[in-house]
Amino acid sequence: VWLVLCHAGDVTAAWCAVALRRGGLDPVRVVLAEELVVGASLMHAISATNSKASIVLASGEVLDSARIRGVVNRLQQLPENAGLPVADRPYARAEHTAATVGWLATLPVPVLNRPVAHSLEGRWARPGEWQLAASWLGLPTSGWTSRPDPDALEGPRVLVVGDRVLWRDGDVSPIAGGGSEGALVQLATTMQAPLCELYFTVTRAGAGVYAGSILPNVSRYGAAAADALVDVLRGAAA
Amino acid sequence: MTVLVLGIPSEPPVRAVVDALRRCGGDVFLWNQRQVLETSVQAGLTPAEPGGQPSLVGQLVSPDGVVDLASLEGIYMRLTDNGELPEVSGLAFDDPRREHADHVLDTMFSVCQLSPATVVNRPGARDENGSKPRQLQLIARHFATPPTLATNDPHAVVDFWREHGRVVYKSNSGERSIVTELTEADASRFGVLARCPAQFQALVEGVDIRVHAMSSGVTFATAIAADTIDYRYGEQSSMEPVELPGDVATACIRLTVELGLELSGLDFKLTPDGVWVCLEVNPSPAFTAFEHATGQPIAAAVARLLVGRNLGCGC
């Protein structure tokens, strides 16, 4: 089974699920954050030699790690459990999140994107961190300041899915030059975000990397993004 | 070159690091987080051409002075959430002063992530114990770890308990919890477990050892004898320095670096048959209790780590 983990109302997640099914991945199961909390049982056994996990949803359906072949992860925060006293809910949510991270972080299949210890959605980073990593890879960067800049995210963008760099119809790659697409893929890899959208700002001096988003609106990139998602999830799972 | 210490001056590790730096003649600026409302900070990264390197620029202005963020050789960070400060906790969420405090803190986190200085520890790495089940799987690459079950399923806990005989439980997350042995009395609370998972581990018999490891290759090990399972909460405990076997020390340093940390606190059980079982890694260790009890010069070593050299004071 391929999982799409998301929140209710996440249109991009629904688009991803359709794209995966049309691409021949079967079955694809969309799992809402609430399903992972309310009435669900999580069991993650860790021994010196291996790790085994499963989640039994309230419906009785079992998500067995051994049967999961790939994950699109768009979870940001698990909901609080309304069945607990109000004062206990934040602690319980932290516990549920930590256990869910422990499960997802070590699945031996592609996870787009894999959670990190403090963030269910993956490694969230500030613009300066994207830029520092970009510069290490030889990419131009546009500079960052701690003063809010509402225009900073209005420039060109590209989507990275695995080893592919995609841009929207009518757009051109904001960074010219041989090898730059490979560097953008490396940037995504360095930031532990094989699925991400990179933002650029353009000045008279040229375009530079500004920041990245680990929860991109994949659907804006159309059929090419759907194909890339399927290939990454199927290719690595084969 | 300045070492910037970020935190609350009354906190023992903050005080110890500042004292060690000053004792050795280091140039240290202590930013008191409780002055967050009277502090302003501006920071930025310069643009970089292809193949170039951006530079961190900016300054921190507090009632105690001004710090050039471009000329730091080390940062020791022990910041707390603004909401826990008396100066901020009473402010409404839409109060501009709270917004200002959050902006200052967020900018300082950025500075700690971006600065080329040695940072003990960078914020991204400090959060590494946010999921203990995840961390345990990273630890297992270097050390023996106890059989562990993260679950909210009471039946799974009972099976695990039967299999291992004696079991302890603690939090999955970075939230502080008291490590406690599972008893029959806990079984009556299994109904709550279904709504709030916990982490269960086979109880490991042996001596508690805390290792403070630094990326610079320095380690300090302390054996703890306590009358409770969680030595932090014992009424009677004693500590004494112990020598670490070379391979254990090396593995402690490797794991510390692998987790992106400059300083870590690793908790072990040394079993009667000589196995070092690692329970968890603390990315923000309060090392002063161990220093005071054993005389190990941990703060001085942190000071040397921050400046990247011996300070010529013989510490």
Side-chain angles (χ1 to χ4, degrees), chain A residues 29-48:
Chain A
R29 171 71 160 92
V30 176
V31 181
L32 299 179
E34 288 74 11
E35 291 184 87
L36 295 172
V37 173
V38 181
S41 292
L42 182 147
M43 195 281 299
H44 186 184
I46 305 161
S47 73

Side-chain angles (χ1 to χ4, degrees), chain A residues 40-48 51 81 83-84 91-92 94-96 98-99 101-102 105-106 115-118 123 126 128-129 131-132 135-136 138-148 205, chain B residues 41-54 103 106-107 109-110 113-114 124 127-128 130-131 133-134 136-137 146-153 156 171-173 175 177 195-198:
Chain A
S41 292
L42 182 147
M43 195 281 299
H44 186 184
I46 305 161
S47 73
S51 160
N81 192 326
L84 287 166
Y91 177 84
E95 287 300 287
H96 238 119
V101 166
T106 51
V116 295
H118 59 285
R123 186 177 171 220
R126 295 174 171 82
E129 295 171 62
Q131 291 190 31
L132 204 56
S135 72
W136 293 335
L139 291 163
T141 57
S142 58
W144 161 82
T145 166
S146 57
R147 271 165 294 184
Chain B
V41 60
Q42 287 188 349
L45 269 188
T46 57
E49 301 282 321
Q53 285 297 308
H103 173 72
D106 188 59
T107 303
F109 280 136
S110 285
Q113 281 294 109
L114 301 175
D127 295 329
E128 193 51 59
S131 170
R134 177 182 180 275
L136 200 67
Q137 292 167 90
T148 298
L149 178 69
T151 192
N152 63 339
D153 180 350
S171 63
N172 285 302
S173 69
E175 298 282 332
S177 64
R195 283 167 285 165
C196 179

Side-chain angles (χ1 to χ4, degrees), chain B residues 136-212:
Chain B
L136 200 67
Q137 292 167 90
L138 301 176
I139 293 171
R141 296 177 191 170
H142 298 271
F143 293 107
T145 53
T148 298
L149 178 69
T151 192
N152 63 339
D153 180 350
H155 300 295
V157 174
V158 170
D159 290 345
F160 185 77
W161 196 5
R162 275 201 199 107
E163 182 183 350
H164 295 286
R166 295 183 71 186
V167 165
V168 297
Y169 60 95
K170 60 184 181 181
S171 63
N172 285 302
S173 69
E175 298 282 332
R176 181 171 272 244
S177 64
I178 302 173
V179 185
T180 307
E181 183 167 5
L182 190 63
T183 65
E184 293 294 343
D186 294 308
S188 66
R189 299 196 295 130
F190 277 176
V192 178
L193 178 69
R195 283 167 285 165
C196 179
Q199 183 174 258
F200 299 84
Q201 290 187 320
L203 185 143
V204 181
E205 301 280 0
V207 179
D208 284 301
I209 309 269
R210 161 55 76 94
V211 176
H212 292 99

Side-chain angles (χ1 to χ4, degrees), chain A:
Chain A
V1 62
W2 280 267
L3 302 181
V4 177
L5 307 178
C6 61
H7 298 271
D10 183 345
V11 177
T12 298
W15 185 91
C16 288
V18 170
L20 299 187
R21 286 183 188 120
R22 283 185 179 159
L25 303 190
D26 180 48
V28 174
R29 171 71 160 92
V30 176
V31 181
L32 299 179
E34 288 74 11
E35 291 184 87
L36 295 172
V37 173
V38 181
S41 292
L42 182 147
M43 195 281 299
H44 186 184
I46 305 161
S47 73
T49 50
N50 66 9
S51 160
K52 196 173 74 175
S54 64
I55 296 179
V56 183
L57 304 180
S59 63
E61 184 181 355
V62 180
L63 305 178
D64 182 347
S65 286
R67 298 174 64 95
I68 295 169
R69 301 185 67 187
V71 180
V72 174
N73 170 35
R74 292 182 55 85
L75 295 172
Q76 295 174 69
Q77 192 176 44
L78 295 181
E80 290 188 338
N81 192 326
L84 287 166
V86 172
D88 294 339
R89 290 178 194 174
Y91 177 84
R93 174 156 69 183
E95 287 300 287
H96 238 119
T97 301
T100 305
V101 166
W103 164 57
L104 277 176
T106 51
L107 279 178
V109 296
V111 179
L112 305 173
N113 289 312
R114 211 172 278 279
V116 295
H118 59 285
S119 177
L120 198 49
E121 67 200 83
R123 186 177 171 220
W124 182 90
R126 295 174 171 82
E129 295 171 62
W130 286 95
Q131 291 190 31
L132 204 56
S135 72
W136 293 335
L137 296 163
L139 291 163
T141 57
S142 58
W144 161 82
T145 166
S146 57
R147 271 165 294 184
D149 178 1
D151 296 331
L153 302 180
E154 298 303 316
R157 302 175 182 190
V158 299
L159 182 75
V160 180
V161 187
D163 60 359
R164 290 192 209 171
V165 179
L166 308 171
W167 50 92
R168 287 177 287 186
D169 289 343
D171 286 356
V172 293
S173 176
I175 294 189
S180 61
E181 289 193 6
L184 296 176
V185 169
Q186 276 187 293
L187 175 58
T189 305
T190 302
M191 300 304 283
Q192 299 168 35
L195 175 61
C196 66
E197 191 169 33
L198 300 173
Y199 302 161
F200 299 82
T201 54
V202 182
T203 65
R204 267 176 287 180
V209 174
Y210 178 74
S213 165
I214 57 174
L215 284 173
N217 182 348
V218 186
S219 64
R220 283 197 293 221
Y221 295 84
D227 292 344
L229 273 180
V230 169
D231 287 348
V232 169
L233 291 177
R234 179 164 44 202

